[in-house]
Amino acid sequence: MQVTRGQISLFLCLLSCASSLGTRYTPDWASLDARPIPEWYDEVKFGIFVHWGVFSVPAFGSEWFWWYWKTALKPEYILFMVKNYPPGFSYTDFAPDFHAQFFDPDEWADIFEASGAKYVVLTSKHHEGFTNWGSPTSWNWNSVDNGPHRDLVGDLGAAIRKRSLHYGLYHSLYEWFNPIYLSDKQSGFKTQEFVEKKAMPELYDLVNRYKPDLIWSDGDWEAPDTYWNSTGFLAWLYNDSPVKDVVVTNDRWGLGCYCKHGGYYNCADKYTPGELPDHKWEKCQSVDTISWGYRRSMKLSELMDLPSIIKDMVKVVALGGNYLLNVGPTSDGMIAPVFEERLRGIGAWLKVNGEAIYATKPWRVQAENATVPVWYTSKSSTVYAIFTSNPMQNSFKLLTPKTSYNTVVTLLGNPEPLKWAPLQTSGLIVLLPDLPFTPADAWTLKLDEVA
């Protein structure tokens, strides 16, 4: 019997699917760390982080307001409360003023889509414990029973998915002042009442209810993963959950886990490695360099400008990472115009240069100091050279690429091939056209058929 090419392809596909379906992960790090990260995550490269909660009401200092006021006893926070609120005012009294009355999830989703981001991660619960959905284990300290009186997680998720963006959820394991957690902490984490009654039921509820493509875990650093039952949850997530084949996780699952266990690595906030890592990673960065949550007192000098954001993102992608850029909405549900301006500026740059970002891989050399500093990304035999400062001359030298007679060089956004000549040993010199103005101060050379 003659076997056709189509039958062979079908057989290989079925074999691959059977192999994938047969993989079961056990609740230990050796097994869980062996799970491949779903491909969509490496391809998207750029996402938006959203820090939103009761801390958006005082909108002072940072999203750690409650902790700095009541535990760290920072004088500026104490003075802020004395000046603006009556004696006896508690942090929980802020919740009814978390109105979100102008929150339009479709408007947010339009802005995020216009930014060129391919995934969005919303805080479902920060360390304050207030949940942005009707958590059954957070009675009256959630956005359905209190404040907005609506399901913020669900509403934004529906709008995000209408635009074919991936939807992720940030979730803090611990809660600063939850008495059950504090009791477990007092026992040296020998008891797990908070995990069994609060933390894990919430995670299972989030996954089953909203089916997130990504879980961004945080608040893990005071207790080991054995206290959090992290490996048991992740085994269920990867084996039996409704998102088992697509879900991506980070590395914050217990004291000592980050940069070591889990899915991709966040390591520390705003982490950037000095060289190409051997594991998928993500840099989370905030437009407001002082805070992740919205601050009413923020100054323009404290915000990242568009060229800084583009330069940061390009470096991260060249080093194999994803770039998760944070904005903090106001308590009434608005994304500040200055944040929107930054996001739309990124999107305008990506419309021209996104080919050098999305679905690329790190090249054999990630950067070089040529005519001006250059970062490289690649797809097969195509290499992209991204330069984030104007060389201020018509010729541009690249020292690393190895050219051939078939090499073609273009400037993204300009369809005409550029004239070039090889250098004596390796590399090439390119004649540049007049560079178009871009607020991002970044341009990309596309080099086809180079090594």
Side-chain angles (χ1 to χ4, degrees):
M1 181 181 71
Q2 185 176 5
V3 179
T4 67
R5 182 178 298 177
Q7 289 172 321
I8 293 174
S9 298
L10 179 62
F11 172 76
L12 291 174
C13 178
L14 291 172
L15 187 64
S16 173
C17 291
S19 174
S20 174
L21 291 171
T23 302
R24 297 286 297 180
Y25 298 97
T26 53
D28 58 83
W29 289 121
S31 176
L32 297 170
D33 290 345
R35 177 183 183 256
I37 295 175
E39 287 185 8
W40 73 260
Y41 180 74
D42 185 48
E43 293 179 350
V44 294
K45 304 300 181 185
F46 174 47
I48 302 297
F49 213 177
V50 183
H51 274 68
W52 200 29
V54 173
F55 50 81
S56 307
V57 177
F60 176 84
S62 91
E63 71 287 349
W64 279 56
F65 183 96
W66 196 2
W67 176 270
Y68 288 147
W69 173 32
K70 287 298 184 181
T71 299
L73 302 177
K74 288 198 170 187
E76 62 270 32
Y77 289 80
I78 295 171
L79 184 61
F80 174 83
M81 292 304 299
V82 168
K83 282 185 172 182
N84 295 288
Y85 295 92
F89 192 95
S90 69
Y91 186 82
T92 56
D93 293 329
F94 283 124
D97 290 329
F98 181 30
H99 295 301
Q101 68 267 40
F102 300 129
F103 171 51
D104 182 342
D106 284 304
E107 186 176 274
W108 282 26
D110 285 342
I111 294 171
F112 298 154
E113 183 180 40
S115 77
K118 301 300 183 184
Y119 66 111
V120 176
V121 180
L122 172 70
T123 43
S124 67
K125 182 190 76 171
H126 201 258
H127 313 320
E128 64 188 13
F130 187 91
T131 67
N132 282 330
W133 85 102
S135 168
T137 59
S138 191
W139 179 81
N140 205 40
W141 192 233
N142 68 73
S143 67
V144 175
D145 295 337
N146 208 330
H149 295 289
R150 64 189 290 186
D151 180 357
L152 304 179
V153 170
D155 289 352
L156 182 60
I160 292 297
R161 285 180 162 137
K162 278 194 294 187
R163 288 150 183 83
S164 299
L165 305 180
H166 291 276
Y167 190 44
L169 295 175
Y170 166 107
H171 175 268
S172 174
L173 290 169
Y174 92 144
E175 299 174 17
W176 287 317
F177 302 112
N178 189 303
I180 307 176
Y181 176 74
L182 295 177
S183 175
D184 284 351
K185 185 176 177 179
Q186 184 67 30
S187 76
F189 299 111
K190 292 182 176 64
T191 59
Q192 293 178 288
E193 190 175 2
F194 177 77
V195 175
E196 294 167 357
K197 292 184 176 179
K198 188 70 162 64
M200 282 300 143
E202 282 185 342
L203 270 174
Y204 282 96
D205 185 48
L206 281 172
V207 172
N208 285 316
R209 195 186 300 204
Y210 302 108
K211 301 174 179 57
D213 299 322
L214 186 153
I215 295 178
W216 213 104
S217 183
D218 198 17
D220 63 315
W221 53 81
E222 288 190 347
D225 62 272
T226 50
Y227 167 73
W228 295 115
N229 287 341
S230 297
T231 55
F233 169 74
L234 290 173
W236 169 81
L237 187 69
Y238 297 164
N239 290 328
D240 302 310
S241 79
V243 290
K244 60 186 176 64
D245 296 323
V246 299
V247 73
V248 176
T249 63
N250 67 342
D251 56 351
R252 300 187 182 187
W253 295 103
L255 181 65
C257 281
Y258 83 59
C259 253
K260 185 178 179 182
H261 294 305
Y264 65 84
Y265 293 169
N266 283 124
C267 303
D269 287 353
K270 304 181 181 180
Y271 165 77
T272 305
E275 58 186 22
L276 181 65
D278 59 5
H279 192 91
K280 184 63 187 179
W281 65 285
E282 175 189 77
K283 179 175 185 176
C284 55
Q285 173 69 53
S286 188
V287 175
D288 179 356
T289 61
I290 305 297
S291 174
W292 300 88
Y294 179 75
R295 291 185 304 133
R296 288 179 286 173
S297 61
M298 65 181 177
K299 298 177 175 61
L300 196 61
S301 61
E302 296 167 335
L303 307 182
M304 294 182 74
D305 61 18
L306 183 59
S308 298
I309 293 170
I310 297 297
K311 186 180 293 186
D312 201 28
M313 177 174 65
V314 167
K315 178 179 180 179
V316 167
V317 173
L319 290 173
N322 277 23
Y323 194 60
L324 186 64
L325 185 66
N326 178 77
V327 293
T330 65
S331 62
D332 52 14
M334 297 297 294
I335 295 175
V338 68
F339 292 156
E340 181 179 349
E341 184 268 343
R342 296 292 192 273
L343 296 185
R344 291 190 182 277
I346 300 166
W349 186 83
L350 284 169
K351 277 186 178 179
V352 176
N353 299 276
E355 179 183 339
I357 298 297
Y358 304 124
T360 57
K361 300 292 183 185
W363 196 42
R364 60 179 173 84
V365 174
Q366 290 77 59
E368 69 163 277
N369 285 311
T371 306
V372 294
V374 169
W375 290 98
Y376 288 108
T377 61
S378 68
K379 290 177 186 173
S380 301
S381 61
T382 297
V383 172
Y384 302 94
I386 308 171
F387 50 107
T388 54
S389 59
N390 194 321
M392 305 303 288
Q393 60 189 53
N394 291 330
S395 62
F396 193 90
K397 288 183 180 179
L398 295 172
L399 307 177
T400 309
K402 298 175 182 177
T403 62
S404 71
Y405 289 112
N406 297 320
T407 297
V408 177
V409 182
T410 52
L411 180 74
L412 291 188
N414 183 346
E416 296 298 322
L418 304 181
K419 293 180 179 180
W420 65 274
L423 297 176
Q424 284 188 348
T425 52
S426 68
L428 69 161
I429 184 167
V430 181
L431 292 181
L432 292 176
D434 291 334
L435 293 174
F437 169 76
T438 165
D441 288 339
W443 301 263
T444 304
L445 289 175
K446 178 180 179 181
L447 292 79
D448 287 310
E449 299 298 331
V450 298

